């Protein structure tokens, strides 16, 4: 937990040893808290239900690509039928290699206990190697039941890669920046997907009304976008049930129309399944074929949402059922049918999708297409919510309000602030461009960069987590990059034609995320360097040199050992302190969830007469602080349970203690006192008691000692009834006077602004305002 200690040189004397024994890591407590927690396996009916829902949330983006792929591939029309065959062949094998083989059968299996996205991959790496830039990892974290990791033979390739990643700080920072780039591009994708999907669907109005102004189409798209984002508060579960029938109908219709067009126009288009036509396409069109890759890339947009939306649905529902049985075959039929139509109507490439629809079902199909485009937007919006939540939990995004929208599925969330920001940006891009071709260029840039980042992150995942052979890793990397790098080069060529939009959006989010993370790390390091020695605190005696007034003081800190600077500042400026003091460390771990029975890790600090405790509260990036959670009550219950178990453990030998743990602690897991962690710890505490023996009568008269469990529990209850105060540090971070201009802008302006607009910790943990005490302090970085 709180690693990264202050460098005190080699002069470590008896006081340092005393401090280490007084405030030891919670190894034994963490070991006793391991429960029999297991994820519940989904029943067959539930899997089928989720597979159906996943159509409405995950596959809408990928499914609506036929609306605009051929237009963006051939914006100036088709000159030769062979070009259509070559483009179709590229589409077929791009769909096969990227969504099917890479994502469905490889990347989706790299999930973090059902969580997907770039931050899920980063969390896996943080557990298997010390690559986190916040130095708060501790071995007690590894004893969580959800903290799965592997050990390696020192001579293995995985161990070599692990040492290489851990060797220098710049490698950790480079890995973090790579993750942030992928994350920010995925957010940009969440902005551009609704724009191009809705605008393309709305464009169907002009097919039967060619004289209609383009402004009318844009207005319709804006109205649809406002309605879509206004529905997000309903939650993924309800939205999925609402949209899933629409998307299922959409896939069945485009598949049926595609098959009809193949039979009606030209069945010879099926020869595109031979990859030789890809070679002929590049040989014939040369430079134009390379530029057209930006349009063909749009056929696999939405693939990244398969992974990012994984927290909403299990792998089985997405992988083995929805995609392979419905999505993939229907998309192949749709693209092949469109190609057959374009070969015979090469002047209709700009609106080939709508013109290839039989007249009798045109308007019903237009309605379904518009609805499907709305659904397509839902996929990336849901993915953006998941990404922001993960980024916040790992210290890379300001605190925002997160609403849990489903009682059954923890991963389904809604973030109001992000929702309205996305809506404003979507409307701005729609109104600003009005050109489907330029929006398509911007869209492709965001998508392919996310794919390339995922490929690079999969390399250490396969080596460290899966321990795959280097040959398999090389094959995966080569196949992925051989497809993605040509696409990347093609979209970068169109930066001046709209491709700059996602780069600007991603750059803005990257600045926010990196500045927030940088200042978070610096603030933690300053907390570590300014912490107060526990030996000094205990030397003050049970009264801490102050008047101990009735009540409980919860002191919040980011440190899991030592006394935070805010507390020493508090007791040196005020004449009194509460009868019971609990240091609370809120800590987010690189795991998807921490079971409730393992969340609170409690230990006693010093002798019982001090009435001082430490509680480390651990969360995963999937865990939420819901309004109905009484955080204060859970803290007090954990404290009381600790006191009861501590009393039970007294008088037992080591063998008796182990027996008690096996029979009772597994049912009611709770922490043990630090005094029994080390055989030397007990007598080391004795000198800290001696200065206070003269004050024993005062302490007894004020009711601050308890010789039995019932007395101490009664004492805790009386203190609780007297009042609970939550002491939070209001830390202000400022740049040093001699720091550079970039550091001053980042710290004094960007970070200060983000701190003002983000939510306070007291709001997130539902701390009553009347029980809140802020202690101000200022750090210079």
């Amino acid at each position: 937990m709180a690693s990264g200690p202050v460098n005190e040189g080699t002069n470590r004397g008896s006081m340092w040893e005393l401090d280490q024994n007084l405030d030891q890591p919670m190894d034994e407590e963490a070991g006793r808290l391991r429960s029999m927690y297991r994820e519940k396996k989904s029943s067959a009916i539930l899997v089928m239900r989720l597979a159906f829902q996943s159509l409405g949330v995950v596959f809408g983006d990928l499914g609506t690509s036929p609306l605009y792929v051929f237009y963006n591939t051939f914006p100036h029309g088709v000159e030769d039928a062979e070009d259509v065959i070559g483009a179709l062949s590229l589409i077929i094998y791009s769909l096969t290699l990227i969504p099917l083989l890479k994502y469905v059968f490889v990347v989706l299996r790299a999930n973090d206990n059902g969580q997907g996205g770039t931050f899920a991959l980063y969390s896996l790496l943080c557990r298997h190697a010390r690559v986190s830039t916040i130095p708060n990892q501790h071995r007690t974290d590894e004893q969580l039941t959800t903290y799965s990791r592997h050990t390696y033979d020192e001579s293995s390739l995985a161990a070599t890669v692990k040492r290489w990643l851990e060797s220098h700080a710049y490698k950790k920072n480079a890995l973090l920046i790579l993750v942030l780039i992928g994350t920010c591009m995925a957010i940009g994708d969440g902005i551009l997907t609704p724009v191009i999907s809705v605008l393309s669907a709305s464009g169907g109005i002009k097919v039967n009304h060619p004289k209609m102004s383009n402004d009318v189409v844009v207005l319709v798209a804006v109205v649809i976008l406002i309605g879509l984002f206004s529905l997000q508060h309903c939650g993924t579960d309800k939205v999925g049930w609402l949209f899933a029938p629409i998307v299922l109908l959409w896939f069945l219709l485009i598949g049926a129309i595609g098959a009809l067009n193949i039979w009606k126009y030209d069945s010879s288009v099926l020869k595109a399944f031979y990859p030789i036509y890809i070679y002929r396409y590049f040989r014939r069109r040369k430079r134009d074929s390379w530029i057209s890759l930006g349009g063909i890339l749009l056929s696999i947009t939405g693939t990244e949402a398969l992974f990012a939306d994984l927290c909403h649905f299990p792998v089985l529902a997405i992988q083995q059922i929805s995609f392979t049985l419905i999505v993939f075959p229907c998309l192949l039929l749709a693209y092949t049918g469109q190609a057959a139509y374009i070969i015979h109507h090469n002047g209709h490439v700009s609106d080939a999708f709508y013109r290839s629809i039989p007249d009798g079902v045109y308007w019903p199909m237009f309605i379904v297409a518009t609805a499907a485009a709305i659904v397509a937007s839902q996929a990336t919006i849901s993915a953006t919510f998941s990404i922001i939540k993960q980024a916040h939990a790992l210290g890379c995004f300001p605190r925002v309000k997160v609403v849990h929208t489903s009682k059954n599925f923890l991963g389904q969330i809604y973030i109001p602030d992000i929702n309205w920001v996305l809506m404003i940006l979507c409307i701005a891009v729609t109104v600003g461009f009005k050109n489907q071709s330029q929006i398509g260029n911007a869209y492709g840039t965001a998508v392919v960069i996310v794919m390339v980042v995922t490929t690079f992150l999969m390399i250490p995942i396969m080596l460290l987590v899966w321990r795959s052979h280097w040959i398999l890793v090389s094959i995966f990397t080569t196949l992925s990059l051989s497809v993605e790098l040509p696409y990347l080069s093609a979209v970068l060529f169109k930066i001046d034609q709209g491709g700059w939009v996602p780069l600007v959006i991603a750059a803005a989010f990257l600045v926010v995320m990196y500045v927030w993370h940088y200042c978070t790390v610096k603030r933690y390091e300053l907390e570590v360097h300014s912490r107060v020695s526990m030996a000094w605190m205990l030397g003050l005696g049970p009264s801490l040199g102050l008047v101990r007034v009735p009540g409980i003081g919860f002191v919040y800190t980011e440190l899991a050992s030592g006394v935070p600077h805010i507390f020493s500042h508090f007791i040196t400026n005020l004449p009194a302190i509460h009868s019971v003091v609990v240091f609370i460390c809120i800590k987010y771990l690189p795991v998807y969830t921490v079971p409730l029975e393992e969340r609170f890790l409690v230990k006693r600090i010093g002798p019982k007469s001090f009435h001082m405790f430490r509680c480390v509260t651990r969360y995963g990036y999937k865990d939420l602080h819901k309004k109905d959670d009484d955080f204060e009550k859970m803290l007090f219950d954990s404290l009381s349970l600790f006191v009861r178990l501590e009393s039970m453990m007294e008088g037992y030998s080591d063998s008796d203690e182990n027996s008690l743990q096996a029979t009772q602690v597994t049912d009611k897991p709770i922490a043990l006192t630090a005094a029994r962690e080390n055989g030397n710890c007990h007598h080391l505490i004795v000198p800290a008691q001696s200065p206070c023996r003269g004050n024993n009568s005062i302490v007894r008269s004020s009711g601050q000692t308890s010789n039995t469990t019932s007395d101490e529990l009664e004492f805790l209850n009386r203190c609780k009834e007297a009042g609970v105060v939550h002491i939070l540090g209001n830390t202000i971070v400022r740049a040093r006077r001699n720091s550079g201009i970039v550091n001053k802008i980042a710290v004094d302006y960007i970070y200060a602004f983000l701190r003002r607009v983000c939510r306070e910790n007291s709001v997130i943990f539902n701390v009553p305002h009347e029980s809140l005490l802020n202690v101000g302090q200022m750090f210079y970085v």
Side-chain angles (χ1 to χ4, degrees), residues 221-536:
V222 169
V223 171
I224 292 173
L225 287 172
I226 294 174
L228 171 66
F229 283 100
S230 300
L231 279 176
Q232 293 304 311
H233 71 278
C234 297
T236 306
D237 189 49
K238 296 178 182 177
V239 171
W241 277 114
L242 176 64
F243 288 162
I246 298 172
V247 179
L248 178 61
L249 179 62
W250 166 260
F251 278 116
L252 294 178
L253 285 176
I254 64 173
I257 292 174
L260 176 64
N261 287 334
I262 294 171
W263 171 79
K264 182 178 179 180
Y265 294 107
D266 193 351
S267 61
S268 66
V269 77
L270 296 174
K271 61 186 179 183
F273 282 85
Y274 292 102
I276 188 64
Y277 287 94
I278 297 176
Y279 168 73
R280 294 180 181 178
Y281 180 75
F282 283 105
R283 186 183 64 178
R284 185 186 313 105
R285 301 196 72 198
K286 298 181 181 178
R287 184 174 181 273
D288 289 340
S289 64
W290 172 63
I291 296 175
S292 69
L293 288 177
I296 293 172
L297 170 65
L298 299 180
S299 65
I300 55 175
T301 55
T303 303
E304 68 286 345
L306 298 182
F307 191 42
D309 278 328
L310 200 58
C311 65
H312 297 270
F313 305 99
V315 176
L316 178 63
I318 294 177
Q319 175 187 313
Q320 297 179 350
I321 301 174
S322 301
F323 188 84
T324 55
L325 297 183
I326 299 174
V327 178
F328 186 64
C330 289
L331 285 176
L332 291 182
L333 286 172
Y335 285 116
T336 306
Q338 272 195 63
Y341 176 84
I342 292 172
I343 288 175
H344 283 263
H345 304 84
N346 55 16
H348 294 169
V349 67
S350 61
D351 46 17
F353 176 81
Y354 282 111
R355 291 188 179 273
S356 65
I357 299 173
D359 293 337
V361 294
Y362 177 82
W363 286 111
M365 192 64 186
F366 169 76
I367 295 173
V368 175
T370 304
I374 297 173
V375 177
S377 308
Q378 181 62 43
T380 49
I381 294 172
S382 300
T384 302
F385 292 158
S386 301
I387 289 169
I388 294 296
K389 174 64 174 70
Q390 293 174 1
H392 158 64
L394 296 176
C396 295
F397 202 83
R399 295 180 294 272
V400 290
K401 181 180 181 180
V402 179
V403 179
H404 190 208
T405 60
S406 174
K407 296 181 180 179
N408 300 319
F409 306 104
L410 189 58
Q412 297 184 359
I413 59 175
Y414 163 66
I415 305 178
D417 298 335
I418 300 300
N419 182 65
W420 303 125
V421 170
L422 291 179
M423 186 188 76
I424 293 171
L425 291 175
C426 282
I427 294 174
V429 173
T430 303
V431 175
F433 277 94
K434 303 180 183 179
N435 188 326
Q436 188 186 129
S437 178
Q438 289 187 331
I439 296 174
N441 295 335
Y443 189 26
T445 303
V447 169
V448 73
I449 291 178
V450 175
M451 291 180 179
V452 172
V453 168
T454 302
T455 299
F456 283 118
L457 289 176
M458 283 299 298
I459 296 174
I461 289 292
M462 296 179 74
L463 291 172
L464 291 179
V465 182
W466 294 352
R467 292 176 288 185
S468 303
H469 196 279
W470 67 269
I471 295 179
L472 294 177
V473 179
S474 300
I475 292 173
F476 169 81
T477 306
T478 302
L479 287 177
S480 298
L481 294 181
S482 64
V483 177
E484 294 163 356
L485 290 182
Y487 281 137
L488 178 61
S489 64
V491 297
L492 291 179
F493 181 77
K494 298 182 178 181
I495 284 183
D496 61 335
Q497 303 172 35
W500 58 270
V501 174
L503 298 180
V504 172
I505 294 173
F509 276 96
L510 180 62
V511 168
V512 170
M513 288 185 171
Y514 191 78
V515 168
W516 184 267
H517 183 77
Y518 169 79
C519 293
T520 299
V521 172
K522 290 298 181 183
R523 193 177 65 181
Y524 178 82
E525 291 174 349
L526 289 169
E527 287 275 7
V528 172
H529 282 268
S530 62
R531 63 185 175 183
V532 181
S533 168
M534 283 303 308
W536 174 80

Side-chain angles (χ1 to χ4, degrees), residues 155-217:
S155 60
S156 65
L157 177 61
T160 303
V161 173
K162 181 175 181 290
R163 288 193 296 269
W164 183 83
L165 287 173
E166 296 174 346
S167 58
H168 296 93
Y170 77 87
K171 296 176 183 177
K172 300 177 183 179
N173 285 323
L175 179 64
L176 175 65
I177 291 174
L178 180 66
V179 171
L180 292 181
I181 290 173
T183 301
C184 295
M185 283 297 174
I187 295 173
D189 184 19
I191 295 168
L192 294 170
T193 297
V195 174
I196 192 170
S197 299
V198 173
L199 197 59
S200 300
S202 303
I205 301 175
K206 295 186 66 176
V207 174
N208 281 355
H209 301 83
K211 295 183 180 180
M212 181 180 291
S213 172
N214 192 56
D215 292 338
V216 177
V217 177

Side-chain angles (χ1 to χ4, degrees), residues 617-746:
T617 308
R618 303 177 291 186
Y619 290 90
Y621 57 79
K622 181 181 176 180
D623 294 325
L624 296 177
H625 309 290
K626 295 180 287 187
K627 287 185 178 181
D628 54 350
D629 287 343
D630 193 337
F631 187 67
E632 181 181 303
K633 182 179 183 301
M634 290 190 292
L635 285 174
F636 185 80
D637 290 345
S638 299
L639 189 63
S640 301
L641 198 55
F642 164 78
V643 171
R644 286 197 294 268
L645 183 60
E646 180 189 42
S647 176
M648 292 169 57
M649 297 305 299
E650 291 179 350
Y652 281 87
S653 64
D654 289 342
S655 58
D656 294 332
E657 191 172 305
N658 292 333
S659 174
L660 181 64
Q661 176 190 350
T663 57
Q664 297 186 20
V665 177
T666 52
D667 292 332
K668 293 183 178 180
I670 203 165
L672 297 180
T673 178
R676 296 190 177 271
E677 291 181 10
N678 191 321
N680 299 325
C681 180
H682 210 56
H683 73 270
L684 285 172
I685 295 179
V686 175
Q689 295 176 341
S690 56
C692 313
R693 289 182 179 176
N695 296 328
N696 280 347
S697 59
I698 300 175
V699 174
R700 288 193 187 96
S701 63
S702 62
Q704 295 196 14
T705 58
S706 52
N707 298 322
T708 64
T709 303
S710 58
D711 290 339
E712 186 164 17
L713 289 175
E714 184 180 353
F715 174 74
L716 289 175
N717 284 320
R718 288 201 308 269
C719 290
K720 181 184 177 183
E721 292 173 358
V724 176
V725 175
H726 299 260
I727 304 172
L728 277 74
N730 186 15
T731 305
I732 300 174
V733 180
R734 289 285 183 266
R736 299 181 185 274
R737 290 184 178 180
N738 59 350
S739 60
I741 185 65
V742 175
N743 188 64
K744 287 183 178 179
I745 293 174

